[in-house]
Amino acid sequence: MTRVALRTAVTVLTIPALTLIAAPSAVAADATPYRAQVFTQGYDTSKVATLTFDLDWRTGTVDQIAASRANLDTVLRVFAANGITGGFGMTGRFAEQNPAEARNIAAQGHKIINHSWSHPDFMTLTQAQRWSQLDRTEAAFRAAGVSSAGWFRAPYRSGYTNAALNRDLALRGFYINADWTFDTTGYQGADWATVSGRIDRFLKPGAIVVMHVSIPSSDPGNLQQIIDKIKGQGYAFVSPFQAVTRGPIRTAYLTAGGPSSLGAATTGPMQATTAGTEVQWFQKGRLYYSAATGAHAVRGAILTKYRALGTAGSFLRYPTAGERPGAGGGWYSTFQGGSIYWSSATGAHEVHGAIRTRWLALGGEAGYLGYPRSDEKAVSVGRAVQFQRGNVYWNSTDGAHEVRGGILTRYLALGGTGSRLGPPTSDEYTVTVGRRSDFRHGSLIWNSTTGAITVVYR
């Protein structure tokens, strides 16, 4: 058997042979929100506004349904013509009865908001009834192929600041209560003078404007005038996606591609660990910020591992860069205290400290050892990480060293760091007869001609 063949053959044997002692995982620093955060306006202090519509038409005459559908077409056409991304507070019964329309709204990039199933006053409902309204709506959204991402808007604006209501929302996974700054009152069929006067009175930086689609609302017919008047007052428009973000996290979100990359925010900004730090959850990841590191996204399987370790409250602390491609189709993210690497063959695992330093010096995931197959764990002497084609061991006396191939197989069979040989004191290196690894109390020597491995004690 050639040297290459032997090293390939023993790889499978090295994996189950390393017995590791699991360390307790840390508690996540960025905990699940206790209550939904109410957004009566966006975070902007500059002159921008966000436009939203509420949407709930029920049974009616053929002409009434046709008129409401025409109103929706008008709203979408005017939004598109002006390059505006809006929000739609949609009831579940609308989505169930009009799935194609719901999909079209989402496909045009607008934000869908859970506006209950049947538009009841939530302050008259029990917790169970509130949850039923939310759940039934989400089921209709899923069937239509859209998502609220945990955004809710209270029918009639009833109880929108009520602590118990916002706690009930959070307990059901709704962490954003998408309120509004002012209503045009177009749902009452208000004339343009009335709507215009309300804009003059209530428009302010970060304002969220609510309008209505269904007849007899005058909002669809007035929408271009509304947009022109707001622009005439020196305002621009931001999407609901952007309105609930701020500061460095907003910058990182938009730079990454916004909703096309990370999806919608599923929480408002939250303190991550200490004052001055921040985290915000999104559909496809989380963005973390500290003054020392800036704002960076963690996502996918790497985020799952990061969460299991305790996120920013763990030894890894904050990400120092976004996720980057690794060798052979893998990915990795770097943190203040180490890295997390992922490949389809190994899953996601962390590497840190002296073991990470040694592994990187040996080529990291692109080197012979490949990707990590375990997190760093305690062994009988020191610490170890298991890689695809070998292990790296560390202790405070001998430092960090790799052991691999047939030498690793024999070493593990003898008992690893707990054996008479003790922990490694060298990496594997070339000798006259083949390859050798040294240990605290001896050596293992592989003969390239015979394939035999000799144990030498001292």
Side-chain angles (χ1 to χ4, degrees):
M1 177 179 287
T2 66
R3 177 61 171 170
V4 173
L6 174 61
R7 296 178 74 80
T8 302
V10 299
T11 297
V12 176
L13 300 176
T14 67
I15 301 308
L18 177 60
T19 302
L20 302 175
I21 303 167
S25 61
V27 177
D30 49 310
T32 301
Y34 182 79
R35 290 192 180 98
Q37 182 175 341
V38 179
F39 284 90
T40 299
Q41 66 185 83
Y43 279 114
D44 291 274
T45 56
S46 59
K47 295 179 74 171
V48 298
T50 299
L51 302 184
T52 69
F53 277 85
D54 284 352
L55 183 55
D56 173 46
W57 67 66
R58 290 160 283 179
T59 56
T61 67
V62 172
D63 289 344
Q64 288 171 332
I65 296 297
S68 290
R69 183 167 281 112
N71 276 356
L72 177 58
D73 291 342
T74 296
V75 170
L76 294 175
R77 176 177 51 77
V78 173
F79 271 172
N82 289 272
I84 292 173
T85 298
F88 285 82
M90 184 184 297
T91 64
R93 63 188 176 192
F94 173 86
E96 182 179 76
Q97 295 165 8
N98 305 276
E101 283 79 1
R103 281 192 297 276
N104 184 37
I105 292 168
Q108 294 192 38
H110 303 297
K111 182 72 191 74
I112 304 295
I113 303 166
N114 185 316
H115 196 36
S116 79
W117 171 261
S118 58
H119 209 271
D121 181 340
F122 262 47
M123 294 305 292
T124 69
L125 304 182
T126 65
Q127 182 187 73
Q129 289 171 329
R130 290 170 178 171
W131 288 354
S132 176
Q133 285 278 325
L134 296 169
D135 292 349
R136 192 175 178 189
T137 299
E138 290 302 307
F141 284 179
R142 286 192 296 273
V146 302
S147 171
S148 73
W151 292 40
F152 172 78
R153 173 171 280 174
Y156 310 108
R157 209 188 192 187
S158 177
Y160 70 98
T161 61
N162 181 268
L165 171 58
N166 283 292
R167 176 60 178 157
D168 284 349
L169 293 175
L171 287 170
R172 216 59 175 175
F174 291 82
Y175 306 128
I176 292 180
N177 187 335
D179 188 46
W180 36 268
T181 310
F182 72 94
D183 188 333
T184 63
T185 67
Y187 72 95
Q188 297 175 336
D191 60 17
W192 171 243
T194 300
V195 173
S196 179
R198 291 185 67 79
I199 294 172
D200 289 333
R201 183 178 176 186
F202 296 115
L203 184 64
K204 61 181 179 179
I208 299 172
V209 185
V210 67
M211 295 169 279
H212 293 77
V213 174
S214 305
I215 59 168
S217 177
S218 60
D219 289 323
N222 285 332
L223 183 55
Q224 187 60 61
Q225 285 180 279
I226 291 169
I227 292 170
D228 291 342
K229 181 175 179 66
I230 292 173
K231 283 182 177 179
Q233 295 193 15
Y235 278 71
F237 298 95
V238 297
S239 72
F241 301 101
Q242 179 173 330
V244 300
T245 62
R246 66 184 179 192
I249 283 184
R250 170 185 285 186
T251 300
Y253 176 57
L254 296 178
T255 300
S260 65
S261 174
L262 286 167
T266 58
T267 70
M270 303 177 288
Q271 180 175 302
T273 51
T274 58
T277 66
E278 201 159 79
V279 60
Q280 190 162 12
W281 300 2
F282 294 83
Q283 288 176 288
K284 301 175 185 177
R286 295 183 185 180
L287 275 162
Y288 292 85
Y289 167 80
S290 76
T293 59
H296 302 286
V298 188
R299 61 181 86 197
I302 290 177
L303 175 59
T304 300
K305 171 58 67 175
Y306 187 48
R307 290 176 58 189
L309 293 169
T311 68
S314 72
F315 65 90
L316 288 174
R317 292 175 287 159
Y318 287 84
T320 57
E323 188 173 275
R324 288 173 283 185
W331 293 86
Y332 70 98
S333 289
T334 56
F335 301 83
Q336 288 174 295
S339 302
I340 297 177
Y341 282 79
W342 173 90
S343 77
S344 59
T346 60
H349 299 286
E350 64 83 16
V351 191
H352 69 280
I355 290 179
R356 175 176 176 268
T357 300
R358 186 73 209 129
W359 174 62
L360 291 175
L362 293 168
E365 85 285 359
Y368 178 81
L369 290 174
Y371 282 86
R373 293 181 63 101
S374 77
D375 298 340
E376 182 179 304
K377 301 291 176 68
V379 290
S380 53
V381 180
R383 310 281 293 179
V385 172
Q386 190 176 39
F387 296 90
Q388 287 176 293
R389 291 175 288 277
N391 300 333
V392 177
Y393 296 87
W394 171 89
N395 68 80
S396 59
T397 301
D398 305 297
H401 301 286
E402 57 92 16
V403 186
R404 55 180 171 165
I407 289 177
L408 175 60
T409 302
R410 184 64 179 276
Y411 180 55
L412 293 173
L414 291 169
T417 58
S419 70
R420 181 178 168 186
L421 285 170
T425 59
S426 77
D427 297 333
E428 185 179 301
Y429 60 96
T430 300
V431 292
T432 303
V433 298
R435 302 283 289 177
R436 173 174 174 156
S437 286
D438 296 328
F439 301 86
R440 192 180 291 179
H441 304 296
S443 300
L444 287 171
I445 304 168
W446 173 79
N447 188 299
S448 59
T449 302
T450 65
I453 296 175
T454 303
V455 183
V456 179
Y457 292 107
R458 61 173 182 273

